[in-house]
Amino acid sequence: MSTAMPMEDLHVDLRAASSGPWQTVVWNDPVNLMGYVVHVFRTYFGYSAEEANRLMLAVHHDGRAIVAEGGREQMELHTQAMHDYGLWATVQQAGT
């Protein structure tokens, strides 16, 4: 006996999947020094020294920090940029 759902019961709301806002999350790692993370946040995002340091400390103490929020495509670009700098980053929908 098949337990598969009929195709008409499967519904994906693509607007909900692409609606925002989305976030770029930077995760803690055992490789990058705190000063380097501050440098990346200041260089790439243009954060002040104080804000970059606050975000770096969130990464260090909480294991992650939301460093940007906006449209999905822009957050994917930010995430790729963080990877290019050697940081571990992901994209998530806000509120998840």
Side-chain angles (χ1 to χ4, degrees):
M1 176 174 212
S2 175
T3 59
M5 293 177 62
M7 289 301 287
E8 60 272 6
D9 290 342
L10 297 176
H11 175 71
V12 176
D13 187 348
L14 295 178
R15 290 171 299 171
S18 63
S19 66
W22 292 81
Q23 298 169 327
T24 298
V25 181
V26 172
W27 298 86
N28 195 21
D29 66 57
V31 177
N32 293 294
L33 299 175
M34 291 186 275
Y36 177 69
V37 175
V38 169
H39 166 76
V40 170
F41 292 167
R42 293 196 71 199
T43 301
Y44 180 78
F45 291 107
Y47 287 132
S48 67
E50 295 78 18
E51 181 65 4
N53 195 59
R54 184 189 72 75
L55 290 167
M56 176 278 298
L57 288 173
V59 170
H60 182 70
H61 292 297
D62 302 333
R64 58 178 260 162
I66 296 167
V67 297
E69 188 170 297
R72 183 175 181 165
E73 288 182 15
Q74 186 62 51
M75 296 308 102
E76 289 173 353
L77 290 172
H78 290 331
T79 297
Q80 183 58 53
M82 294 300 97
H83 294 169
D84 293 345
Y85 278 102
L87 301 183
W88 179 27
T90 57
V91 174
Q92 71 178 22
Q93 194 162 18
T96 60

